[in-house]
Amino acid sequence: MTRWNLNYMKLRDKLLLMYVLSVFIPIVVTNVVFYQVTTANIRSQKTRDAGVAMNNLRNDLRVTVDQGVALSYSFYADPVFNDRLSRSFGSHFEYIQAYNTYLKGEFSGQLSQGIRWYQVYTNNPTILSSGYIERLTAIVRKTNWYEQFRAYSAPYPALIATDQTLSLVQRLDNLDTGGIEQLVKIDFNMDVIKEHFRNSGFDGSVYLVDPGGQIRFSNDPDIQGSRVGGAYSHIRFPNKTIRFESTYSGINYLEGWSLQGVMDEEIVLREVRKSRSFVIWLACINFVLPSIIIAAMSRSIHVRLVRIVKHMKKVKTQNFQTIPPENARDEIGQLTTEFNRMTETIRNLIDEVYLADIQKKDLELKQQQAQLHALHSQINPHFLFNTLESVRMRSLIKGEKETAKIVHHMAKMFRKSISWNEQHVTVKEELELIDSFLQIQQYRFGEKLQYRIEADSAVMMVQIPKMVILPFVENASIHGIESTAGQGLIQLFLSAEDDHLHICLEDNGIGMSSSRLKELLKYLDQNTDMGEHVGMKNAYSRLRLCYGDSFSFSIRSREGEGTQIRIKLPLNESYIRGE
């Protein structure tokens, strides 16, 4: 039985399957998920907004109540006021004098926006009812607010609700009153409280419920008149409602009071319901348009691909027939153009291009080798001529064997430069040549030049390109030491570390300024003709040709202090003699 494979399907069937899997099903799923997610997000957002509105309303109400609490504690904590309120006055004149001197204006300016009025009650028989001070008579004791207050025994203020009015009642027993009962009743401004409810931003009904579960205030128009004071639990709400509760906890005078919010879920999702028909129409449009577009595009693709396949089968039989050109710029049109170009290229490769490319590569290789040989042949001979002139002059003046020694070293250097036909030499041979050069320079400069050469025995047989160290030593001698006034010292150190040959050349000559050093480094890196430092340029270029990016080269110099050159070459086994 043949195993089903997607590659066995025709292109039109693949496009149809792609449409169903990539357009039809995703659109249906996306619209359903989008509607559900949008509904959940709006519900969640509305819920968060309602919770924030409830918290804001709770805080606003507490601020208003705190205004009354602050005023009640002002009465409670005033010892002079409480003392005079509980004092037994000998005559009405004595009380009136006390009232005018202290009691009358003590708290007259403490009314705030949230407080409508305050009243002080006392059963002191020597006090007259005047201003905000009233006698605590039997009639007052029968009022609803006083009967509710008698149930409270706590020392802090009590929040009392009567006839859609909220009041705060506080016993004034901070000091010994001698058995006289006295208290303060503060009435809140209900217009301010109503304004808090209207501006809360809660999209629903809010109920202020006392510790006994009774409704004391609400913005619900159905909870008016006699229904205020009814039990909150007896109210019947629709099934799909969202409930909110914000309680006052940790506040003794508001302990047990709470705000109950009710919001209809249909109101929350009303905006989403309106967009349902729009989503359905948009989904239908998304189904129809892609169907028409895919049908037209599939025909355009199928016909032209079949034509390309037919011509590709002809190429298999070495029939390089091109496809007739068409005015098309899409990928299939580009594929047709590239197919025609490919068939022509194949013929050209067979006839001409392959052989011509081989000849071109061979020419480039020979040019590179010629460039390397040209670099090897460039030797700066000016120091040899200067030395020969010195030898000639000294030979005329003195008849010393030293001259013969120097001439011997000169001959040795000439022989090395002429006889070195190979591209690489050992470190030992390079150092012997450097030693001969430095002895010649010592002959020229006398005690002015001293030198020191140290090399690990492990690196003596390492192969390096010939004459890549000598030009730097020559430059240190001529340009560094020759121009200095004091005694010059050239030091050369060679060691093997981390599979690399480390070369360090130091001199205490005149050095270079930072600008001059930058120009020298730029000159060494440029692919230009040899200039002033031909020896260094020659050596640096041959190192770059031989090692590419595998070697490192650095120069450090300070004007008047000397120069240090560091070269690091890889220890390739092919460069070691005998291996």
Side-chain angles (χ1 to χ4, degrees):
M1 183 177 179
T2 304
R3 185 179 179 181
W4 182 85
N5 193 321
L6 188 63
N7 294 332
Y8 296 158
M9 295 180 63
K10 292 184 178 180
L11 182 60
R12 285 179 298 180
D13 297 334
K14 289 181 181 179
L15 291 174
L16 179 61
L17 181 62
M18 180 177 63
Y19 167 72
V20 173
L21 297 179
S22 302
V23 178
F24 183 84
I25 295 178
I27 288 178
V28 174
V29 174
T30 301
N31 284 317
V32 173
V33 172
F34 173 78
Y35 183 80
Q36 296 295 333
V37 171
T38 303
T39 302
N41 289 340
I42 292 178
R43 189 179 188 277
S44 177
Q45 183 63 42
K46 288 287 187 180
T47 302
R48 287 195 298 269
D49 294 342
V52 172
M54 288 287 291
N55 289 332
N56 292 337
L57 178 57
R58 182 189 64 180
N59 295 333
D60 292 339
L61 289 178
R62 181 184 174 182
V63 170
T64 301
V65 173
D66 284 345
Q67 293 174 2
V69 172
L71 180 58
S72 69
Y73 278 130
S74 298
F75 284 103
Y76 182 80
D78 192 338
V80 177
F81 175 82
N82 286 275
D83 175 70
R84 296 190 180 185
L85 194 65
S86 59
R87 181 188 302 176
S88 179
F89 296 94
S91 64
H92 293 331
F93 177 79
E94 184 180 354
Y95 168 73
I96 293 172
Q97 186 179 11
Y99 178 82
N100 291 329
T101 56
Y102 185 84
L103 298 177
K104 180 179 181 180
E106 178 64 16
F107 301 96
S108 60
Q110 297 196 24
L111 283 177
S112 60
Q113 184 180 6
I115 299 175
R116 183 177 61 84
W117 181 245
Y118 59 87
Q119 195 77 37
V120 176
Y121 294 92
T122 178
N123 62 354
N124 187 346
T126 63
I127 285 182
L128 301 176
S129 296
S130 56
Y132 63 92
I133 300 176
E134 288 284 339
R135 292 283 298 276
L136 187 59
T137 62
I139 298 175
V140 175
R141 295 179 188 274
K142 293 179 181 180
T143 58
N144 188 7
W145 67 267
Y146 184 82
E147 291 179 355
Q148 293 186 49
F149 175 70
R150 290 181 60 187
Y152 291 90
S153 59
Y156 46 79
L159 186 62
I160 305 297
T162 58
D163 300 328
Q164 295 187 351
T165 300
L166 293 177
S167 301
L168 199 68
V169 184
Q170 167 75 46
R171 290 186 177 88
L172 302 180
D173 55 357
N174 186 30
L175 301 175
D176 184 14
T177 62
I180 295 176
E181 181 182 2
Q182 50 195 35
L183 53 89
V184 59
K185 176 176 175 286
I186 301 171
D187 296 332
F188 292 104
N189 190 344
M190 298 307 297
D191 292 335
V192 173
I193 294 178
K194 291 177 182 179
E195 189 68 16
H196 289 333
F197 274 75
R198 282 195 298 269
N199 297 334
S200 65
F202 186 84
D203 195 5
S205 300
V206 185
Y207 305 88
L208 178 62
V209 181
D210 64 11
Q214 306 298 316
I215 300 173
R216 293 305 179 183
F217 191 85
S218 175
N219 63 349
D220 188 354
D222 297 332
I223 306 299
Q224 298 294 339
S226 60
R227 295 197 63 180
V228 173
Y232 173 77
S233 59
H234 294 167
I235 301 177
R236 295 292 177 263
F237 298 107
N239 293 329
K240 293 183 179 181
T241 56
I242 304 175
R243 304 287 186 90
F244 300 88
E245 182 179 6
S246 182
T247 60
Y248 293 93
S249 58
I251 307 173
N252 49 25
Y253 49 87
L254 288 175
E255 190 69 29
W257 286 80
S258 64
L259 286 172
Q260 304 291 337
V262 179
M263 187 165 55
D264 190 356
E265 189 174 15
E266 289 297 323
I267 296 177
V268 174
L269 302 178
R270 186 179 300 164
E271 298 177 3
V272 181
R273 310 293 187 198
K274 292 179 181 179
S275 62
R276 182 186 299 173
S277 58
F278 173 77
V279 172
I280 295 175
W281 280 106
L282 184 62
C284 293
I285 295 174
N286 289 337
F287 294 152
V288 174
L289 288 180
S291 301
I292 298 174
I293 294 172
I294 288 179
M297 294 183 64
S298 63
R299 185 181 182 282
S300 172
I301 295 173
H302 177 73
V303 172
R304 291 187 292 161
L305 283 180
V306 169
R307 182 176 59 181
I308 294 175
V309 171
K310 290 181 180 179
H311 283 79
M312 292 182 68
K313 291 180 179 179
K314 295 179 181 180
V315 174
K316 181 175 60 176
T317 59
Q318 298 183 1
N319 182 4
F320 300 105
Q321 180 181 357
T322 59
I323 302 174
E326 60 179 359
N327 187 17
R329 297 183 180 180
D330 59 358
E331 286 78 6
I332 298 180
Q334 295 177 11
L335 179 62
T336 302
T337 302
E338 294 300 324
F339 174 81
N340 293 337
R341 187 177 299 159
M342 181 190 67
T343 55
E344 295 173 358
T345 303
I346 291 175
R347 284 199 299 264
N348 294 335
L349 286 174
I350 294 175
D351 298 335
E352 317 171 0
V353 178
Y354 183 72
L355 295 177
D357 187 69
I358 293 178
Q359 294 175 356
K360 181 180 179 181
K361 295 295 183 183
D362 183 66
L363 179 60
E364 291 177 353
L365 181 60
K366 290 180 178 179
Q367 289 177 348
Q368 187 175 11
Q369 291 176 348
Q371 181 182 8
L372 182 60
H373 287 304
L375 289 172
H376 286 165
S377 65
Q378 295 181 16
I379 303 175
N380 187 359
H382 70 278
F383 77 95
L384 295 177
F385 293 110
N386 293 336
T387 303
L388 288 175
E389 182 63 19
S390 297
V391 171
R392 187 181 71 83
M393 294 299 296
R394 294 284 290 272
S395 298
L396 292 176
I397 298 172
K398 300 179 181 180
E400 299 177 348
K401 294 182 180 181
E402 185 181 5
T403 303
K405 179 181 177 181
I406 297 304
V407 173
H408 171 73
H409 286 300
M410 291 295 299
K412 183 177 180 181
M413 292 187 66
F414 273 119
R415 284 196 303 269
K416 289 291 185 180
S417 62
I418 295 173
S419 62
W420 287 359
N421 295 323
E422 297 182 356
Q423 295 183 2
H424 295 84
V425 296
T426 63
V427 171
K428 180 180 179 181
E429 291 173 331
E430 181 78 3
L431 294 181
E432 290 176 353
L433 186 63
I434 293 172
D435 183 71
S436 297
F437 169 76
L438 290 174
Q439 289 197 37
I440 293 172
Q441 294 299 89
Q442 273 191 334
Y443 177 81
R444 291 182 58 200
F445 300 123
E447 294 297 329
K448 182 179 181 180
L449 174 64
Q450 299 294 326
Y451 69 91
R452 175 186 174 191
I453 300 175
E454 292 184 5
D456 294 347
S457 59
V459 304
M460 298 301 289
M461 301 308 294
V462 173
Q463 293 261 338
I464 60 174
K466 62 183 180 181
M467 288 190 180
V468 293
I469 304 178
L470 178 60
F472 299 105
V473 177
E474 175 192 355
N475 187 76
S477 173
I478 296 175
H479 297 284
I481 303 301
E482 185 175 351
S483 301
T484 187
Q487 187 180 53
L489 175 62
I490 296 176
Q491 300 183 86
L492 178 62
F493 305 98
L494 293 92
S495 61
E497 298 177 13
D498 302 328
D499 296 330
H500 284 81
L501 173 62
H502 292 260
I503 303 170
C504 179
L505 176 63
E506 299 178 352
D507 69 76
N508 63 346
I510 60 174
M512 289 180 286
S513 63
S514 58
S515 59
R516 176 59 181 152
L517 179 59
K518 290 180 181 179
E519 292 178 0
L520 177 60
L521 292 174
K522 183 178 180 181
Y523 163 71
L524 293 177
D525 285 330
Q526 288 177 345
N527 294 323
T528 57
D529 296 336
M530 303 300 175
E532 177 184 354
H533 297 274
V534 61
M536 291 180 62
K537 178 71 171 181
N538 183 294
Y540 181 83
S541 299
R542 287 192 290 117
L543 284 173
R544 187 163 59 181
L545 285 173
C546 293
Y547 295 100
D549 295 331
S550 300
F551 88 103
S552 65
F553 178 87
S554 64
I555 301 179
R556 291 194 303 176
S557 180
R558 296 189 66 177
E559 194 170 4
E561 296 183 7
T563 303
Q564 182 189 76
I565 297 178
R566 289 184 177 272
I567 303 173
K568 185 169 69 173
L569 305 178
L571 286 176
N572 194 317
E573 293 183 356
S574 63
Y575 292 158
I576 301 177
R577 177 171 293 179
E579 296 185 6

